[in-house]
């Protein structure tokens, strides 16, 4: 099948979170299964200058200038050596800027351009996709653009990676950026008090809707998780399916990790211990390799519940010998709290504020526990990465976390992590302390680490679900 992926992020080219890994992983796996996959991204300023031939496609708000990114270099660098999809970028004109997201109305202009270009590209004679697969609010308007000429005949799929981000903008953004024509074909309920909700419009217009775990697919039909979209999600439940994300183990496994100075696998964990020692040194934490190291790699936003972890840290520091390594950036209130904790407990708490791909890998490899205390989690990739590195996930039972982590039972030896129910400090505290209890017993811990490292969430396992979905549309 010919599939066009339209997205704001794609690893390793443009990444702020799991969206980039998920779309790249899925696209790679579809390619490996023999499908013709192409990807369309905005031409962010940080991307290398495209070298391939440039071409122009005509459509509403166009013309759009497209160019193909030179394959491999960066992919090779990140350890990917297989056939990869062809990646095209759309010129953003004066909306080009360094960041992937500007966080203001310019984002509306950028993603309107990307979405319009995707519809135009799909309708052009050169290459007509069977499926137009868009992701999140950024490209949710692609199926709405398909309602205008030139009509792309491709069937549309909208994947929800996170309904907490909907793309709500003043209706004036359409005319401002040259897309006034789209207003005529917008689904009526995407409009409310002068604003337009991009994601709601896409949910009405797409042929099928998917999300990134079965549990999240059920949750978002309820007010607690639907974030105001539960009505349309419930109405479209017949067209909504939850397919768990996969992991690209060519990048995210300790046997092959291109970012690690030493590799390891479940048969010999001695290198993991050395990586832990190295990490403790680098972060200036107390050099006790036998004491548990609790890691967290996360965007710092309410969704992720890192504030809950911060709230219980003082008591955990007092009652246990655990140390903490937290890598993240985002909300200043949460980073401020983490910085205060790190200042007050210099040898036990390290907070690295920022985005650091290599350090993320080192933390999964060097830590014993990975805490993911999310208030909601569409899928979550870090708990799956942590499993493979033998860093035991401590997670809240929600969304994809509930679908991937099973609470360990020391009596039967079954399970792969510590799962707590409530997104509150007591929940996180219970989850971490339960895991530390297992850590204290060598035999129990070894069994748990073996279970964790044996988990297989590779993408090829998920591809048949997408193939079935695409086929059902054609
Ligand atoms: P989300 O997409 O909601 O942020 P996921 O668990 O799906 O959550 O994916 C997060 C991805 O982003 C992982 O690859 C994780 O390693 C990465 N990540 C998050 N924060 C950082 C950071 N500060 N530095 C490096 N990588 C990060
Ligand atoms: C979103 C979600 C996360 C998911 C990722 C990739 O950012 O927050 O749960 O894993 O997308 O689908």
């Amino acid at each position: 099948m010919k599939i066009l992926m339209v997205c704001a992020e794609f690893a390793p080219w443009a990444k702020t979170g799991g969206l980039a890994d998920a779309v790249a992983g899925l696209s790679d796996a579809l390619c490996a299964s023999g499908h013709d996959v192409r990807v369309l991204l905005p031409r962010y300023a940080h991307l290398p200058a495209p070298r391939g031939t440039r071409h122009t496609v005509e459509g509403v708000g166009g013309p759009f200038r497209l160019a193909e990114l030179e394959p491999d270099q960066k992919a090779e660098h990140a350890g990917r050596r297989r056939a990869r999809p062809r990646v095209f970028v759309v010129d953003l004109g004066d909306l080009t800027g360094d960041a992937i997201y500007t966080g203001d109305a310019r984002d509306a202009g950028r993603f309107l351009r990307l979405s319009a270009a995707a519809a135009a590209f799909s309708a052009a004679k050169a290459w007509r996709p069977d499926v137009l697969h868009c992701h999140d609010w950024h490209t949710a308007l692609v199926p709405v653009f398909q309602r205008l000429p030139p009509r792309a005949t491709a069937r549309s799929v909208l994947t929800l990676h996170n309904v907490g981000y909907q793309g709500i903008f003043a209706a004036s953004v359409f005319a401002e950026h040259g897309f006034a024509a789209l207003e005529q074909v917008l689904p009526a309920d995407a409009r409310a008090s002068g604003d337009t909700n991009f994601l709601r419009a896409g949910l009405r217009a797409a042929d099928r809707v998917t999300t990134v775990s079965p549990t999240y697919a059920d949750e978002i039909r309820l007010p607690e998780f639907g974030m105001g979209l539960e009505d349309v999600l419930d109405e479209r439940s017949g067209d909504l399916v939850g397919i768990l994300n996969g992991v690209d183990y060519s990048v995210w496994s300790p046997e092959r990790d291109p970012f690690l100075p030493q590799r390891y696998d479940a048969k010999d964990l001695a290198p993991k211990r050395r990586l832990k020692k190295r990490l403790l040194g680098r972060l200036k934490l107390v050099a006790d390799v036998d004491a548990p190291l609790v890691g967290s790699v996360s965007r710092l936003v309410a969704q992720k519940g890192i504030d809950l972890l911060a709230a219980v840290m003082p008591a955990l520091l007092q009652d246990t010998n655990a140390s903490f390594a937290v890598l993240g950036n985002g909300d200043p209130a949460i980073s401020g709290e983490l910085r205060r904790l790190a200042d007050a407990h210099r040898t036990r708490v390290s907070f690295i504020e920022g985005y650091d791909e290599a350090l993320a890998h080192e933390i999964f490899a060097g830590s014993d526990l990975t805490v993911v205390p999310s208030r909601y989690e569409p899928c979550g990739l870090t708990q799956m990465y942590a499993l493979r590195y033998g860093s035991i996930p401590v997670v809240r039972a929600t969304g994809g976390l509930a679908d991937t982590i099973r609470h360990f039972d020391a009596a039967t030896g079954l399970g792969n992590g510590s799962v707590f129910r409530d997104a509150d400090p007591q929940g996180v505290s219970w989850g971490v302390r339960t895991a530390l209890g297992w850590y204290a017993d060598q035999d129990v811990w070894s069994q748990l680490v073996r279970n964790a490292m044996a988990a297989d969430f590779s993408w090829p396992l998920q591809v048949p679900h997408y193939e079935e979905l695409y086929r059902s549309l054609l």
Side-chain angles (χ1 to χ4, degrees):
M1 284 177 267
K2 289 194 281 191
I3 302 146
L4 180 65
M5 296 285 177
V6 196
C7 45
E9 298 187 31
F10 195 83
W13 302 109
K15 171 170 171 178
T16 72
L19 174 64
D21 286 4
V23 187
L26 171 60
S27 304
D28 277 9
L30 286 165
C31 261
S33 295
H35 301 289
D36 180 0
V37 183
R38 299 187 182 187
V39 180
L40 195 61
L41 287 175
R43 183 169 168 197
Y44 300 113
H46 75 269
L47 293 175
R51 306 233 195 101
T53 42
R54 282 151 211 266
H55 50 275
T56 301
V57 290
E58 297 290 344
V60 181
F64 304 99
R65 283 198 308 275
L66 267 59
E68 188 172 355
L69 287 182
E70 190 76 7
D72 289 335
Q73 296 158 357
K74 222 176 167 188
E76 293 268 312
H77 168 71
R80 293 183 167 92
R81 275 168 222 281
R82 303 177 302 270
R84 294 207 79 203
R86 293 172 65 178
V87 179
F88 294 83
V89 288
V90 183
D91 199 88
L92 295 178
D94 55 8
L95 290 170
T96 309
D98 273 332
I100 293 175
Y101 306 114
T102 59
D104 55 35
R106 281 173 298 171
D107 281 341
R110 288 171 165 203
F111 295 120
L112 277 166
R113 262 194 97 68
L114 174 66
S115 302
F121 183 57
S122 307
K125 283 204 189 66
W127 183 80
R128 293 212 169 133
D130 301 306
V131 179
L132 246 170
H133 192 155
C134 27
H135 299 267
D136 276 354
W137 73 263
H138 324 106
T139 55
L141 290 177
V142 173
V144 184
F145 274 107
Q146 283 184 276
R147 293 176 170 181
L148 295 170
R151 284 179 202 278
T153 52
R155 307 305 306 276
S156 58
V157 175
L158 170 61
T159 293
L160 306 169
H161 295 263
N162 194 332
V163 302
Y165 301 86
Q166 299 177 7
I168 301 173
F169 297 98
S172 56
V173 295
F174 296 102
E176 269 161 33
H177 295 287
F179 298 101
L182 197 71
E183 297 192 74
Q184 311 309 314
V185 292
L186 274 175
D189 68 336
R191 283 279 172 81
S193 41
D195 284 341
T196 302
N197 185 318
F198 285 25
L199 192 57
R200 183 178 272 278
L203 284 173
R204 289 283 179 210
D207 291 319
R208 287 278 201 290
V209 179
T210 81
T211 187
V212 288
S213 72
T215 294
Y216 193 60
D218 291 336
E219 288 174 338
I220 52 181
R221 293 168 58 190
L222 308 170
E224 192 192 342
F225 293 98
M227 312 264 179
L229 297 175
E230 54 276 9
D231 60 331
V232 48
L233 287 162
D234 196 48
E235 281 166 42
R236 297 222 54 192
S237 59
D239 298 317
L240 169 67
V241 53
I243 304 174
L244 196 71
N245 281 332
V247 174
D248 181 348
Y249 288 119
S250 72
V251 180
W252 292 103
S253 77
E255 295 122 84
R256 266 171 287 170
D257 191 318
F259 294 96
L260 295 182
Q262 295 183 38
R263 312 266 166 89
Y264 63 95
D265 58 26
K267 289 195 280 299
D268 178 13
L269 292 174
K272 178 171 171 75
R273 214 174 140 81
R274 289 196 290 274
L275 288 165
K276 178 178 179 181
K277 191 161 179 222
R278 188 171 172 271
L279 181 66
L280 292 173
R282 173 170 173 194
L283 301 181
K284 302 193 172 59
L285 290 169
V286 61
D288 179 359
V289 218
D290 293 317
L293 178 63
V294 182
S296 167
V297 177
S298 182
R299 292 184 295 120
L300 301 179
V301 292
Q303 174 196 346
K304 298 291 177 179
I306 303 300
D307 53 313
L308 303 172
L309 175 63
V312 299
M313 244 188 233
L316 289 170
L317 287 164
Q318 190 150 44
D319 304 346
T320 76
N321 63 344
S323 294
F324 296 83
V326 181
L327 168 63
N329 58 357
D331 182 343
I334 305 172
S335 52
E337 189 50 35
L338 290 166
R339 215 173 304 118
R340 273 190 291 282
L341 284 162
D343 286 346
H345 307 273
R346 288 188 187 280
T347 59
R348 305 271 305 278
V349 180
S350 173
F351 170 49
I352 312 89
E353 186 171 10
Y355 187 92
D356 187 335
E357 190 73 30
L359 184 57
H361 289 249
E362 287 169 47
I363 290 177
F364 290 121
S367 60
D368 301 295
L369 270 58
T370 291
V371 187
V372 193
S374 306
R375 292 188 166 87
Y376 74 92
E377 197 60 76
C379 177
L381 297 172
T382 59
Q383 82 282 7
M384 296 197 268
Y385 297 161
L387 284 175
R388 193 41 89 89
Y389 288 81
S391 179
I392 300 306
V394 177
V395 307
R396 176 176 179 232
T398 185
L401 299 172
D403 292 337
T404 53
I405 307 303
R406 189 153 152 223
H407 192 69
F408 181 66
D409 178 347
T412 61
L414 296 174
N416 57 5
S418 176
V419 183
F420 58 92
R421 200 188 54 195
D422 297 318
D424 57 25
Q426 291 76 5
V428 182
S429 176
W430 181 88
V432 173
R433 286 170 199 264
T434 301
L436 293 177
W438 296 324
Y439 185 85
D441 183 326
Q442 270 298 331
D443 294 337
V444 170
W445 190 253
S446 306
Q447 178 64 53
L448 176 51
V449 170
R450 269 200 303 278
N451 296 355
M453 294 182 78
D456 182 1
F457 291 104
S458 51
W459 269 112
L461 297 174
Q462 305 307 332
V463 163
H465 299 292
Y466 281 98
E467 288 177 328
E468 187 188 327
L469 169 84
Y470 295 156
R471 270 197 213 103
S472 74
L473 281 169
L474 303 178

